[in-house]
Amino acid sequence: MNNPPVPAVRLAGVMKRFGDFAALNDVNLEIAAGEKVVICGPSGSGKSTLIRCINHIEQHDGGQIVVNGIKLDRSADSIAQVRSVTGMVFQNFNLFPHMTILDNCTIAPRTTLKLSRAEAEARAMELLAKVRIGDQAGKYPSQLSGGQQQRAAIARSLCMQPGIMLFDEPTSALDPEMVKEVLETMKTLAGEGMTMICVTHEMGFAREVADRVVFMDRGSIMEQGRPDEFFGNPQTDRARQFLSQIIH
């Protein structure tokens, strides 16, 4: 009898408080390897806190988080192991301004994975070409558009060869005309089978790419389902209200 596959991410009873405020309240969620999950909900619902707890940018206060079979606790070893299999893309790029795009992409593989400069640069150039900014490798972040910077940030994460990509509202800081190029890059990753957890308000992306939409409010998961189910027939009044405000 075959054992069931290990989930890419499992959250069981996860809690997170900021003072008296419960940012996450008994969150239970399993994400399969290769699954694309979009997390949506109003501001302050806990979406970004949840994704930041998965790779310990925020430390959860209760419950259990397991990533690729690694139980995330407060030990430096477990944090390092989890971060070695997850890539994180933030709202605001977080590129080093004093380094070229190529150097931004190679510093972690060289220091953490101990790749040679040649190996790291070859990997970086391949991935920068993949996100369609290979010709920008020698430039500094300030010389790139917002969309190009975010694609550079995606390439930088991919240079570490993660099995799971976490996106925390990756288009929210972009001008509208730059959103499409970043979403196209994310769609390419999705098509290649990357496990993806994406906090976003881009509902068109959720409809097209997600295997599952998770709707959060007040620190809890209110409902979840396939995109056609969630958008076509939301089960809760709160989800219906949310969708009526963002889809016109």
Side-chain angles (χ1 to χ4, degrees):
M1 184 174 174
N2 293 330
N3 293 324
V6 174
V9 177
R10 182 170 65 85
L11 290 82
V14 171
M15 311 286 288
K16 174 63 183 178
R17 300 190 72 86
F18 295 103
D20 294 332
F21 176 67
L24 296 176
N25 186 23
D26 193 28
V27 172
N28 296 282
L29 182 66
E30 284 198 3
I31 295 168
E35 191 175 12
K36 290 77 175 155
V37 174
V38 164
I39 303 175
C40 64
S43 296
S45 59
K47 314 179 297 294
S48 289
T49 301
L50 184 150
I51 207 168
R52 290 165 71 89
C53 282
I54 290 172
N55 70 345
H56 204 79
I57 292 172
E58 298 286 357
Q59 181 176 292
H60 61 294
D61 300 322
Q64 190 177 81
I65 298 175
V66 182
V67 181
N68 270 16
I70 306 157
K71 182 180 177 182
L72 181 61
D73 54 34
R74 300 186 182 191
S75 71
D77 187 50
S78 78
I79 296 166
Q81 286 186 63
V82 166
R83 289 182 177 169
S84 75
V85 297
T86 55
M88 183 88 177
V89 177
F90 302 88
Q91 297 179 37
N92 294 316
F93 324 139
N94 286 14
L95 298 167
F96 294 116
H98 63 289
M99 292 184 177
T100 65
I101 296 304
L102 182 60
D103 287 343
N104 265 280
C105 290
T106 58
I107 184 170
R110 290 179 64 198
T111 56
T112 304
L113 302 182
K114 306 303 182 188
L115 296 188
S116 69
R117 177 185 287 274
E119 290 172 317
E121 289 187 352
R123 179 183 293 180
M125 289 305 300
E126 179 183 336
L127 290 165
L128 288 169
K130 179 179 183 149
V131 301
R132 301 188 300 282
I133 54 167
D135 57 341
Q136 308 295 319
K139 293 184 179 179
Y140 290 88
S142 63
Q143 297 174 290
L144 273 60
S145 70
Q148 289 173 326
Q149 289 186 62
Q150 192 59 292
R151 284 185 280 157
I154 292 171
R156 178 185 57 184
S157 288
L158 292 173
C159 281
M160 295 296 288
Q161 298 187 310
I164 302 163
M165 284 291 286
L166 310 173
F167 295 90
D168 186 9
E169 300 196 31
T171 60
S172 65
L174 299 177
D175 293 333
E177 65 268 21
M178 296 177 185
V179 169
K180 185 173 183 290
E181 62 193 45
V182 173
L183 293 179
E184 288 299 327
T185 298
M186 294 168 64
K187 289 174 189 176
T188 299
L189 289 179
E192 294 173 351
M194 173 69 74
T195 306
M196 294 171 61
I197 308 171
C198 184
V199 172
T200 185
H201 292 295
E202 300 291 341
M203 294 298 101
F205 175 81
R207 285 178 187 269
E208 184 176 346
V209 174
D211 298 309
R212 182 165 31 133
V213 177
V214 173
F215 174 70
M216 294 186 68
D217 189 33
R218 298 182 182 179
S220 298
I221 293 175
M222 305 296 289
E223 67 175 281
Q224 54 185 302
R226 296 197 318 265
D228 57 335
E229 296 171 340
F230 177 72
F231 291 109
N233 187 27
Q235 298 300 299
T236 61
D237 289 340
R238 189 66 190 91
R240 282 191 286 273
Q241 180 187 14
F242 173 75
L243 289 171
S244 72
Q245 291 172 340
I246 65 169
I247 296 177
H248 303 290

